[in-house]
């Protein structure tokens, strides 16, 4: 656990956070010592000492007789420094760090991907062989600005199956789904803007937004999608610029957006001038297609994104954006400015794998294996008093409530010490009200040690 901050450190941390999130702009005047002391409820001498230390670090400076001001040049961005001062285990980046670089032999029921031997290895290997025989430009040259045409044409056909009408010219290939989101954030947002996320939501949405120094507001998520009344109230009060959400299978809850909720969300977004990012990374895990905001909206205010890391390979970094037509050129310019050419090689291998005759059978097998994993995991969790918030129709996640008096953060720490990486609820919650929840990946829970460690570690 973090040590308790002193009063001086509280003031310093608050000023640093407000500078990092551009609440305090460069060259702007800080609140006077007297005003700050009143706001914090501390003595003026505490504030003076905090300001003096910040001045020593070069973060602020003083003008004799005029007070303290934000320095023109501030320290480099540190997501950890500007995040809320909470236990590192509930930092949005914690699960990613632990899952990507786990202790030797650690099990990862908290990670967000399939085991390596569940992925389409045979198709990827065939794709690599096919690309090795292709034109040399594929393996040696930069991609075109929009990316490999054949893959973009395939994506338009796949989207059409979800009633999303997009031309290949509206699709921009990116180096990952994460890059797709980052490009849209860069395009739409300026520091200080407000963005709405689901509560709970995929934790890396929160981490990326932190890097863009915007205000984040959470809307409660229900089994049918965002709470529409709360969503309307947030739009009215906060005037957000953007809403980001999952399509189809929601992460972490496994819930499915209902057509009625989708329709109402779009009505409210249109009235408020709100843009939406719809992340459909789990599309191929669906058994029965759900409503898509991009289909109902016609790619007017919705940016539809996805990638292939969950079904094909996490090593092949390839994602995409289907964007409103009028924004494509600007997004392409931004893509070139920040990444220049994308990976033709990755795009070509992805295209080969997706058009491989074995891909459909592979995904049917994944559906069966995940259904079987849920069937075996649920009763084993139930014996421990761990119950799902809902029973998902598809996907790998179970969003579960822990037995009474168990804190997910503390449980995750205890399990980590025994070689099991978990995903505690507040990693996903903007309001930090999910301390009694845990996200489990059923595909990563086929080892009896997971349940043994949970049993030993629960209160």
């Amino acid at each position: 656990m973090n040590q308790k901050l002193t009063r001086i450190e509280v003031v310093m941390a608050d000023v640093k956070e407000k500078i990092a999130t551009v609440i305090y702009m460069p060259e702007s005047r800080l609140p006077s010592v007297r005003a700050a002391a009143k706001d914090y409820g501390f003595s003026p001498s505490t504030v003076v000492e905090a300001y003096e230390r910040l001045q020593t670090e070069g973060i602020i400076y003083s003008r004799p007789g005029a007070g303290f001001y934000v320095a023109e040049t501030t320290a480099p961005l540190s997501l950890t420094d500007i995040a809320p001062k909470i236990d590192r285990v509930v930092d949005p980046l914690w699960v990613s760090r632990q899952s990507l670089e786990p202790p030797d032999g650690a099990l990862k029921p908290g990670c967000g991907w399939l085991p390596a031997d569940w992925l389409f290895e045979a198709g990827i290997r065939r794709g690599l062989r096919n690309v090795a025989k292709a034109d040399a430009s594929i393996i040696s040259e930069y991609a075109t600005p929009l990316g490999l045409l054949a893959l973009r044409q395939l994506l338009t056909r796949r989207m059409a199956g979800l009633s999303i009408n997009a031309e290949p010219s509206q699709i921009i290939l990116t180096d990952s789904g994460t890059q797709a989101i980052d490009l849209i954030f860069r395009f739409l947002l300026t520091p200080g803007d407000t963005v709405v996320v689901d509560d709970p939501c995929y934790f890396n949405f929160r981490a990326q937004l932190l890097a863009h120094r915007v205000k984040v507001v959470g809307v409660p998520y229900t089994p049918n999608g965002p709470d529409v009344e709360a969503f309307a109230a947030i739009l009215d009060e906060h005037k957000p610029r953007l809403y980001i959400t999952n399509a189809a299978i929601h992460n972490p809850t496994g819930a499915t957006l209902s057509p009625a909720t989708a329709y109402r969300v779009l009505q409210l977004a249109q009235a408020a001038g709100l843009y939406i990012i719809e992340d459909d990374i789990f599309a191929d895990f669906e058994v029965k297609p759900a409503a898509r905001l991009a289909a109902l909206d016609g790619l007017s205010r919705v940016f539809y994104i996805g990638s292939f890391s969950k079904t094909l390979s996490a090593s092949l970094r390839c994602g995409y954006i289907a964007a409103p037509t009028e924004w494509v050129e600007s997004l392409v310019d931004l893509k070139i400015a920040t990444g220049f050419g994308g990976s033709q090689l990755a795009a070509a291998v992805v295209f080969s794998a997706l058009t491989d005759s074995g891909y459909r059978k592979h995904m049917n097998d994944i559906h069966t294996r995940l259904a079987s994993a849920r069937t075996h995991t649920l009763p084993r969790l139930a014996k421990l008093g761990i119950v799902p918030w809902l029973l998902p129709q598809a996907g790998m996640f179970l969003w579960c409530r822990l037995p009474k008096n168990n804190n997910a953060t503390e449980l995750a720490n205890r399990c980590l010490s025994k070689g099991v990486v978990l995903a505690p609820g507040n990693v996903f919650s903007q309001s930090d009200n999910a301390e009694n929840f845990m996200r489990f990946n059923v595909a990563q829970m086929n080892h009896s040690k997971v349940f043994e460690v949970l049993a030993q570690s629960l209160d």
Side-chain angles (χ1 to χ4, degrees), residues 412-429:
N413 270 322
R414 291 195 291 268
C415 289
L416 181 63
S417 69
K418 299 172 183 177
V420 175
V421 179
L422 296 177
N426 274 348
V427 166
F428 306 89
S429 176

Side-chain angles (χ1 to χ4, degrees), residues 397-456:
F397 299 131
L398 292 174
W399 180 241
C400 293
R401 183 177 283 105
L402 300 175
K404 189 176 180 180
N405 298 323
N406 278 271
N407 180 283
T409 300
E410 296 171 1
L411 177 62
N413 270 322
R414 291 195 291 268
C415 289
L416 181 63
S417 69
K418 299 172 183 177
V420 175
V421 179
L422 296 177
N426 274 348
V427 166
F428 306 89
S429 176
Q430 181 62 27
S431 60
D432 291 334
N433 66 357
E435 65 276 358
N436 191 231
F437 282 84
M438 191 78 74
R439 189 195 72 179
F440 294 101
N441 180 345
V442 298
Q444 300 277 0
M445 298 187 70
N446 59 350
H447 199 296
S448 59
K449 180 182 175 181
V450 172
F451 300 96
E452 292 168 4
V453 169
L454 280 170
Q456 296 165 7

Side-chain angles (χ1 to χ4, degrees), residues 71-133:
E72 179 65 32
T73 302
T74 56
L77 172 66
S78 168
L79 298 186
T80 303
D81 287 345
I82 68 174
K85 302 306 176 188
I86 54 179
D87 192 296
R88 181 68 168 136
V89 77
V90 292
D91 185 295
L93 296 168
W94 184 88
V95 174
S96 296
R97 294 285 291 270
Q98 295 297 337
S99 297
L100 290 169
E101 197 175 31
D104 290 341
L107 301 175
K108 300 180 287 187
C111 80
W113 51 85
L114 297 175
D117 59 1
W118 284 43
L119 295 172
F120 194 32
E121 180 181 341
I124 294 298
R125 291 188 181 278
R126 283 192 291 270
L128 288 166
R129 289 195 293 270
N130 291 338
V131 171
K133 299 173 185 176

